[in-house]
Amino acid sequence: MKQRTIADLSNLPTYGFGAQSPMWWGTLAFISLEATGFALAVGTYFYLEFVASGWPIAAPAPDLGAGTLVLILLVASVLPNHLTDRWAKNQELRKTRLGLLLMSIFGLLPLIIRIWEFRALHVSWDQNAYGSILWLLLGLHTFHLLTDLGDTLVLTALMFTRHGRSGRRFSDVSDNAFYWDFVVASWVVLYLVIYIFPRWSA
Amino acid sequence: MSVLKSSPIYDLRDTGLTDSALDRFLTETWKTPSGLYGWLATVDHKIIGRRYIITAFFFFILAGLSAAAMRLQLAVPDNKLIGPDLYNQLFTMHGTTMMFLFAVPIMEAFAVYLVPLMIGTRNIAFPRLNAFSYWVYLLGGLMIWIAFALNSGADAGWFSYVPLAGPEYGIGKRSDFWAQMITFTEVAGLAVAVEIIATVFKQRAPGMTLDRIPIFVWSMLIMAFVVLFAMPAVMMASTMLILDRLVGTQFFNPAEGGDALLWQHLFWFFGHPEVYIIFIPATGFVSAILPTFVRRPMFGHLAIVMSLISIGILSFGLWVHHMFATGLPQMGESFFTASSMMIAIPSGLQIFCWIATIWAGRPIFKTPFLFVLGFIVTFVIGGLTGVMVASVPLDLQVHDTYFVVAHFHYVLVGGAVFPLLGAVHYWYPKVTGRMMSETMGRWTFGLVFIGFNATFFPMHLLGLRGMPRRIYTYPAASEWGTTNLLVSAASLLIIAGLVIFFFNIVLSLFRGESAGSNPWNAPTLEWAMQSPPPPYNFLRIPAVSHREPLWFDGSVLNVVCGLRVDTRELLTSTVADAVPELREPSVRNSIWPFLSALAVGAAFLASIFTPWAVVWGGVPIAIGLIGWFWPKGDPEDKE
Ligand code: HEM
Ligand SMILES: [Cu+2]
């Protein structure tokens, strides 16, 4: 076909933030499908509670300590997370590096405390269906913590190499911050389900 | 821009280059190198889409052969050819393969190949994820079929109900292979859904506003959304199943607070939408093929898009309704019928628009159009039986009989396979550069259409006379023998039609007439470039001002310029109005998605034998992913 050029787009930028970037939409899509997974797991929890004659089944409600500490840490991490996001959007390399270091720590700490969380459940995964769903919920969230920590660590390393001097990296950092918000938000919901609901319903 | 010095690197743009120089540069930049490495490392959506299509047809043939074996066994009463155990594996492998390894992947595969071409871009979004998804899908399919060859084929039906599939009754590793195959294919399916959504949202050609998106692309977008919200359910379910079987969780064990119905809820939360995941793209094929062969734009474009969206939403609402209405699912089978009822309103609207378009047009009866007509006719008949089964007393009568088998094959084969075969005949010239034989195409259509009706219509009667599904044989006294023989004989017609079809595909590669860029005089952008499309798709990115750009923009294609040609770059635009926003780099070929898929595959497979595989498998997977995402000093990375 014959072609007629009607516009010259040479001056368009080569990276953008938020809804400008396809990666942001990809992240949003992944968040949606993972949120669906969480919702179904939570649905399963309540379904099992519905068919059970008493809840929690054959176990005391989980101890609050470790889970609450994770909650506090995660909620607190929202502040550095958003600062990192802002620094990345302003393309301030030194501050972004700092933010990523902070976020690596904020990613690591809850994972360590999580070990005690599993112990605080007072039920094993194979004891009964209540134990199974509890371990599944906690396992799912732990998996998200792990993958996001991995992503953050790799990004942090990248930012300290010459690859950090690329606009796209800042956009990646911003998308990573977006995903972390999801990890935090999902924990708020799971915390209520795992720790508060058994107390409230008892 | 504090730390970023604008680097004075030399970048080469398309502006001002002659067509032939531009072609040279772009080919160099976008090509897939030859040889094994190139084959494993390519991220070209066309090569991957083609691979996906071929692989899905390969699984279709395997599932078809299982069906042929079943029909052979059922042809006469008291047949001793196939025993009950093998028969269980056969219908399970047939149903599972058709649904998970053929129907859904092939619809997504067409999207992978066509959507970027139709919206005027150079590659799909996240091309490496795309490559990864293909390899994971392939590994999952091979795994379950190799297990079958080793007499470990899944045998609990395509919906794998517990307790039959659970730790107590599911023998050996059969159901574990089934559950992990689900994990493989759903990872792949979800990945492609994410790619389609990002591609359609962000990579449309300038000017392709929401109301100028082709209906086909809408159908794929809506399918992707249904996948996004439906598939996590079956992944969750299969994960629980495998946990119950391997590490002793109690999700489905009533003795320890679990519940067998939980499986059905989770499975059908996915299972209801599943039919639409197959059906929505199929109607997209119809709406793409039809205007071309009646030579006028689709009547009721907006109405069709709206009904597609409502079908997508309804496919979930139906499940809720179903749960409310019955409380307990005897739904397994009747869900096919209930969905065909609910589908009636928006589908009726679509059928009306299709018929009105044909009415107002000047039809040319070529093979793709014949399949579209076959689809419409079948769909109306299928709709009628759907209304029949939807009446509760009749439903209870025919529950778990061949009436149900007949009915859902009308929906799946008539509603999806017919449009699909039409689509293959329609886009084959674009993909290969050659035409398929029209004579053979007509034979294919005739044999498949007649064979299909002769196979599945009598099954309704068998069902009414009480023949249950999933039985490996029946006594002569049942008097089902004659009809069964007829059914089996008729299925030979389908096989004959499909043999001609595959023969046509292979032969036309060598003998087919040269197709040129637009052999059907079709209106959408995928026909704007030569056939097969060059590695970079479009010499210059098109700018769109109509729904049917090739019909209404005259013989000249409006394009934009300013993109780099020395590195992979494409254009992204705003979601609603498709106003150009970024010159977005697109990744180069890489072997890492393949290696990552191998690592993931090995971990999934090993997890069937030891749960620790998930832990150890994490290491190679992490290495694979880091290799995948770590920048290799690409020129576009320096900006
Ligand atoms: C093209 C020729 C086909 C033939 C001759 C055929 C034949 C059969 C037969 C005889 C059964 C019943 C087995 C039994 O209940 O004992 C069956 C089941 C089934 N078929 Fe097909 N089929 C064909 C195509 C398809 C296609 C294209 C799909 C899906 C896209 C499909 C999906 C299924 C499913 C889901 C089942 C249920 C399996 C189960 O009970 O678990 N079939 N098929
Ligand atoms: Cu249902």
Side-chain angles (χ1 to χ4, degrees):
Chain A
M1 275 186 107
K2 282 233 284 294
Q3 308 200 331
R4 176 171 56 218
T5 308
I6 58 164
D8 184 342
L9 305 174
S10 326
N11 292 330
L12 287 184
T14 58
Y15 59 92
F17 292 92
Q20 278 194 324
S21 130
M23 187 56 89
W24 185 87
W25 287 95
T27 311
L28 182 63
F30 272 109
I31 288 178
S32 316
L33 77 89
E34 285 159 31
T36 310
F38 275 126
L40 288 160
V42 168
T44 301
Y45 178 97
F46 287 110
Y47 180 88
L48 291 169
E49 188 264 340
F50 178 73
V51 297
S53 48
W55 199 257
I57 303 175
D63 293 340
L64 285 176
T68 313
L69 194 55
V70 170
L71 181 70
I72 293 169
L73 273 171
L74 287 184
V75 171
S77 76
V78 169
L79 183 68
N81 190 41
H82 279 250
L83 283 176
T84 311
D85 185 34
R86 178 166 339 139
W87 293 330
K89 282 182 175 146
N90 294 338
Q91 309 193 4
E92 299 174 87
L93 185 59
R94 305 244 319 262
K95 286 184 179 170
T96 305
R97 283 174 175 168
L98 176 74
L100 280 169
L101 283 174
L102 272 176
M103 288 315 294
S104 302
I105 297 169
F106 269 109
L108 196 61
L109 285 180
L111 267 173
I112 298 172
I113 301 166
R114 180 85 7 128
I115 300 170
W116 282 273
E117 266 198 89
F118 280 103
R119 290 188 190 163
L121 296 182
H122 295 308
V123 59
S124 121
W125 67 84
D126 55 359
Q127 200 172 321
N128 56 44
Y130 163 72
S132 306
I133 186 63
L134 231 50
W135 280 74
L136 183 76
L137 287 173
L138 212 52
L140 265 182
H141 192 262
T142 309
F143 181 72
H144 279 76
L145 279 177
L146 256 174
T147 48
D148 197 290
L149 176 65
D151 194 30
T152 311
L153 289 176
V154 172
L155 265 178
T156 313
L158 266 179
M159 281 325 250
F160 282 93
T161 68
R162 67 195 161 86
H163 301 298
R165 295 179 181 279
S166 144
R168 306 194 54 72
R169 275 305 91 60
F170 289 112
S171 176
D172 292 347
V173 172
S174 168
D175 292 335
N176 185 51
F178 177 36
Y179 190 80
W180 183 255
D181 278 344
F182 165 66
V183 175
V184 174
S186 57
W187 182 245
V188 175
V189 176
L190 292 186
Y191 177 82
L192 292 175
V193 173
I194 296 176
Y195 294 97
I196 304 304
F197 176 75
R199 293 188 156 67
W200 171 79
S201 69
Chain B
M1 290 282 153
S2 53
V3 296
L4 295 181
K5 303 178 191 66
S6 67
S7 39
I9 34 169
Y10 168 74
D11 68 14
L12 186 61
R13 305 292 174 93
D14 56 10
T15 324
L17 287 179
T18 63
D19 286 5
S20 65
L22 188 51
D23 170 65
R24 257 199 336 275
F25 280 116
L26 285 174
T27 305
E28 188 53 35
T29 303
W30 288 87
K31 73 171 188 232
T32 294
S34 53
L36 182 66
Y37 177 83
W39 199 76
L40 295 175
T42 186
V43 296
D44 184 332
H45 74 101
K46 299 180 292 301
I47 297 179
I48 293 168
R50 206 167 60 200
R51 245 176 227 174
Y52 247 120
I53 294 173
I54 293 169
T55 313
F57 269 121
F58 168 72
F59 287 122
F60 174 72
I61 291 173
L62 290 180
L65 291 175
S66 326
M70 290 190 286
R71 283 323 311 173
L72 197 61
Q73 164 68 14
L74 295 177
V76 290
D78 298 313
N79 199 348
K80 303 247 160 21
L81 192 66
I82 293 174
D85 182 57
L86 180 59
Y87 192 88
N88 286 350
Q89 294 182 52
L90 283 175
F91 72 68
T92 305
M93 292 300 288
H94 167 77
T96 301
T97 304
M98 284 295 189
M99 300 302 263
F100 293 103
L101 297 173
F102 164 66
V104 175
I106 205 160
M107 296 304 172
E108 292 198 326
F110 269 81
V112 165
Y113 193 100
L114 288 170
V115 164
L117 296 175
M118 280 197 177
I119 63 169
T121 186
R122 290 199 165 135
N123 204 351
I124 199 164
F126 320 130
R128 289 185 183 170
L129 185 65
N130 194 30
F132 173 80
S133 82
Y134 170 75
W135 296 115
V136 167
Y137 154 69
L138 177 68
L139 290 174
L142 288 180
M143 179 195 70
I144 195 169
W145 273 94
I146 290 173
F148 172 74
L150 301 175
N151 194 27
S152 275
D155 61 354
W158 84 277
F159 35 67
S160 201
Y161 275 180
V162 292
L164 190 59
E168 228 170 308
Y169 299 99
I171 58 168
K173 293 282 174 200
R174 291 180 172 184
S175 290
D176 302 307
F177 284 116
W178 185 89
Q180 283 309 58
M181 184 280 302
I182 294 292
T183 317
F184 277 94
T185 51
E186 307 314 82
V187 165
L190 285 163
V192 174
V194 171
E195 296 153 26
I196 294 172
I197 292 173
T199 308
V200 177
F201 273 21
K202 291 306 290 179
Q203 291 183 200
R204 301 201 310 278
M208 189 178 280
T209 51
L210 288 181
D211 64 330
R212 292 185 191 141
I213 298 179
I215 295 177
F216 175 88
V217 174
W218 272 113
S219 74
M220 290 299 182
L221 179 67
I222 293 159
M223 168 203 66
F225 272 105
V226 179
V227 167
L228 205 63
F229 295 111
M231 280 195 181
V234 71
M235 269 187 85
M236 198 61 79
S238 68
T239 305
M240 290 176 189
L241 176 62
I242 206 161
L243 288 174
D244 265 18
R245 294 177 55 92
L246 295 179
V247 300
T249 54
Q250 311 284 3
F251 289 108
F252 306 121
N253 178 10
E256 294 295 346
D259 185 53
L261 287 186
L262 173 63
W263 170 266
Q264 301 193 18
H265 282 285
L266 285 173
F267 188 88
W268 291 116
F269 184 88
F270 145 86
H272 281 286
E274 163 87 343
V275 177
Y276 302 94
I277 292 172
I278 299 168
F279 176 73
I280 291 171
T283 64
F285 293 150
V286 172
S287 296
I289 295 172
L290 209 144
T292 302
F293 291 95
V294 304
R295 294 179 281 174
R296 58 152 288 146
M298 205 57 206
F299 173 84
H301 179 99
L302 184 66
I304 292 196
V305 172
M306 285 305 159
S307 48
L308 283 175
I309 294 175
S310 49
I311 290 174
I313 295 169
L314 270 179
S315 69
F316 291 95
L318 195 69
W319 174 79
V320 180
H321 144 89
H322 205 99
M323 296 291 119
F324 279 145
T326 62
L328 295 179
Q330 54 88 355
M331 48 179 298
E333 296 73 23
S334 59
F335 99 91
F336 284 105
T337 60
S339 28
S340 48
M341 269 246 304
M342 283 299 280
I343 216 174
I345 303 157
S347 295
L349 192 61
Q350 283 204 77
I351 291 193
F352 173 77
C353 292
W354 289 326
I355 292 178
T357 311
I358 300 176
W359 200 263
R362 294 166 293 143
I364 310 172
F365 294 89
K366 290 282 173 63
T367 308
F369 187 54
L370 294 181
F371 275 105
V372 165
L373 292 177
F375 157 81
I376 295 178
V377 170
T378 315
F379 202 68
V380 172
I381 301 176
L384 291 182
T385 55
V387 174
M388 277 170 69
V389 223
S391 78
V392 179
L394 187 67
D395 183 48
L396 293 180
Q397 283 294 316
V398 297
H399 180 78
D400 258 345
T401 71
Y402 263 83
F403 195 96
V404 174
V405 176
H407 178 69
F408 67 66
H409 281 88
Y410 262 85
V411 175
L412 291 169
V413 181
V417 177
F418 282 5
L420 176 73
L421 293 178
V424 172
H425 287 88
Y426 181 60
W427 278 294
Y428 184 92
K430 179 46 66 186
V431 177
T432 65
R434 289 178 186 267
M435 305 299 288
M436 284 174 80
S437 150
E438 187 61 27
T439 319
M440 282 196 262
R442 282 164 194 267
W443 274 99
T444 303
F445 172 72
L447 287 168
V448 170
F449 185 76
I450 295 169
F452 161 75
N453 281 292
T455 303
F456 291 103
F457 192 78
M459 282 191 194
H460 288 110
L461 308 177
L462 282 174
L464 290 175
R465 285 194 269 134
M467 178 167 168
R469 64 189 287 199
R470 295 177 170 176
I471 50 166
Y472 79 105
T473 192
Y474 51 91
S478 66
E479 297 187 349
W480 300 326
T482 332
T483 316
N484 268 305
L485 188 61
L486 172 74
V487 166
S488 294
S491 63
L492 290 177
L493 294 182
I494 307 182
I495 294 178
L498 292 175
V499 167
I500 296 179
F501 171 69
F502 289 117
F503 188 69
N504 194 358
I505 286 183
V506 176
L507 197 72
S508 302
L509 272 184
F510 308 100
R511 296 271 181 81
E513 257 178 78
S514 173
S517 65
N518 190 0
W520 313 114
N521 189 21
T524 34
L525 282 178
E526 80 273 27
W527 304 100
M529 81 290 290
Q530 74 256 36
S531 318
Y536 50 83
N537 292 358
F538 295 88
L539 205 53
R540 296 182 183 82
I541 301 298
V544 173
S545 49
H546 279 102
R547 251 178 224 158
E548 288 88 8
L550 303 198
W551 280 354
F552 292 99
D553 285 348
S555 59
V556 182
L557 190 67
N558 288 334
V559 294
V560 296
C561 69
L563 267 66
R564 286 178 73 163
V565 300
D566 56 340
T567 180
R568 295 187 178 186
E569 199 167 76
L570 42 78
L571 209 56
T572 62
S573 46
T574 57
V575 174
D577 299 326
V579 178
E581 238 174 1
L582 304 173
R583 292 183 293 118
E584 172 88 10
S586 180
V587 292
R588 295 202 251 170
N589 298 331
S590 160
I591 191 81
W592 287 103
F594 172 68
L595 298 178
S596 305
L598 283 185
V600 168
F604 283 172
L605 181 62
S607 72
I608 293 179
F609 301 94
T610 160
W612 287 104
V614 181
V615 180
W616 304 129
V619 178
I621 294 176
I623 294 174
L625 294 180
I626 292 174
W628 173 341
F629 287 105
W630 196 270
K632 312 287 183 305
D634 306 345
E636 68 271 20
D637 219 62
K638 302 215 168 67
E639 295 188 21

